[in-house]
Structure formats: structure tokens, C-alpha cells
Amino acid sequence: MQYLIGKRTFVLEQGDITTQMVDAIVNAANSRLMGGGGVDGAIHRAGGPSIMQECRDIVSQYGRLPTGEAVSTTGGNLHAPYVIHTVGPIWHGGGNDEPLLLASAYRNSLLRAEHLRLVSIAFPSISTGAYGYPVGKASMVAIETVKEFLTASARSISKVVFVLFDTSTYTSYCHAAREVMSTPPH
Ligand code: ADP
């Protein structure tokens, strides 16, 4: 499913983010950038050990990555030249700033990509796996944040892809997009 925001595109698809042909893929990392299961494990397996080495260097220089922040490494063996690592919030019932922190994870990843002057970026569904954020709520935050970002002027990013791994997550994001976007899909 694809939407246009001015001249920029915003795409929802089901699949594996590690095979995306974009300038950067986003990793739903943990604050120690240590590698784990889920999308993080898949990215490190596909990208090879150089990404983990860069992650270790970042943590030893700057410390743990706070929730909602983002850093970048190169993409190792991936098609994407960059990986942007961000930390989404762990769901604790919704009263601990989870929506604000999730929006920050998306926004700071996009800002990191802008800083690198990138044109295309792919996101997984941050926080909705091991971190337990309900996907119906997370998809609304994700799409609202990306829409707001792409609506602003003077952005290098012209394409944002959400790569959703399973059918129920994909369906949730499609529903959220219909709610949030004022125009029908293209
Ligand atoms: P978090 O710890 O932020 O919840 P997870 O990696 O556990 O992150 O899950 C986030 C989402 O990423 C889940 O919807 C999961 O199904 C999905 N996912 C797992 N592997 C991949 C992959 N290769 N490509 C895209 N999404 C993936």
C-alpha cells in the first residue's frame, strides 16, 4: 500500500527488512546495542560482524543509548549502506510516556537519516515484539509521526517504507494509515 505526501512517498509492505534496497534500514535495538532476537538478530545475521563492532565502539565511547534516541552505523553486508539503531520503549501499560518515547524513536531515526542526507529509509514495527507495545496503538504513533515528518518542508527523505514481518502487524498498519492519512492510498 502506498501513499503520497506531496512529492514524497510512504509505503507499507509485508516482508523482511534486511533485504530492503534503501539508504538506511532502522533497527529496533536495545540500549546496550548488544544484539538480541527479533529484527535486531536478523539485521546482525544478515549484515555481518562489522555492524556489531561499530555498535560496541559507540557504546564504549558514549555509553548506553537512551530510549527514544538513534545512532547510525554502516550497513556491513546489507544492501542498505546504513543501519540506524534506535531504542523503542518497553510497554508498561501506557502510563509511562510510551507514546512520546515511541514517537521520539521514529523522529530521531528520521533526523539521523536527514543528517546523513539520505533519501530513503525503511522501518520495522518498533517495540511491538519483545517490548510488548500493542500493535494497534504503536501503528498509530508510527504513522502519525512519519506523516508529520514528511509534511514538513526541506527534507532530504523522500521515501519511507514500513516493512512489517507478519500479516497481523501489516494489517494493523494498513488500518492505522487509513485512519491517519487524509487521502486514499495511491
Ligand atoms: P522490540 O524489542 O522493539 O519489540 P522486536 O525485534 O522484538 O523489537 O520486534 C519488532 C517487530 O519486528 C515485530 O513485529 C517482529 O515481528 C518484527 N521483525 C522480526 N524480524 C523482522 C525482520 N527480519 N524484518 C522486519 N521485521 C521483523
Side-chain angles (χ1 to χ4, degrees):
M1 191 170 288
Q2 182 166 321
Y3 289 86
L4 284 178
I5 300 177
K7 288 184 177 151
R8 304 185 180 125
T9 54
F10 155 53
V11 182
L12 301 173
E13 61 182 61
Q14 193 177 345
D16 175 358
I17 200 168
T18 64
T19 59
Q20 283 286 311
M21 311 275 265
V22 288
D23 296 333
I25 66 174
V26 176
N27 181 17
N30 55 51
S31 63
R32 288 155 65 203
L33 303 181
M34 271 295 283
V39 71
D40 186 299
I43 288 172
H44 284 291
R45 272 195 303 280
S50 65
I51 302 176
M52 184 57 75
Q53 188 54 54
E54 287 181 62
C55 285
R56 270 193 218 103
D57 293 346
I58 290 168
V59 172
S60 64
Q61 197 172 348
Y62 302 104
R64 292 185 185 191
L65 186 64
T67 304
E69 301 285 319
V71 294
S72 55
T73 64
T74 60
N77 302 329
L78 298 168
H79 291 293
Y82 293 97
V83 177
I84 294 173
H85 306 262
T86 189
V87 184
I90 298 172
W91 180 258
H92 290 296
N96 292 278
D97 283 342
E98 289 94 331
L100 283 178
L101 291 165
L102 185 61
S104 292
Y106 282 101
R107 200 175 308 107
N108 284 323
S109 298
L110 290 160
L111 287 170
R112 190 71 217 147
E114 284 288 323
H115 181 77
L116 296 164
R117 307 303 297 162
L118 306 184
V119 172
S120 56
I121 183 169
F123 283 100
S125 176
I126 297 168
S127 284
T128 65
Y131 281 6
Y133 205 124
V135 66
K137 294 186 196 310
S139 55
M140 292 294 290
V141 172
I143 287 167
E144 275 166 359
T145 307
V146 166
K147 181 193 173 190
E148 189 180 305
F149 193 87
L150 291 181
T151 305
S153 58
R155 299 290 194 205
S156 69
I157 296 283
S158 71
K159 184 180 182 187
V160 175
V161 188
F162 279 99
V163 185
L164 295 326
F165 203 50
D166 54 273
T167 308
S168 64
T169 304
Y170 174 69
T171 306
S172 252
Y173 275 71
C174 290
H175 282 142
R178 279 194 206 97
E179 290 248 322
V180 170
M181 303 301 291
S182 37
T183 54
H186 190 61

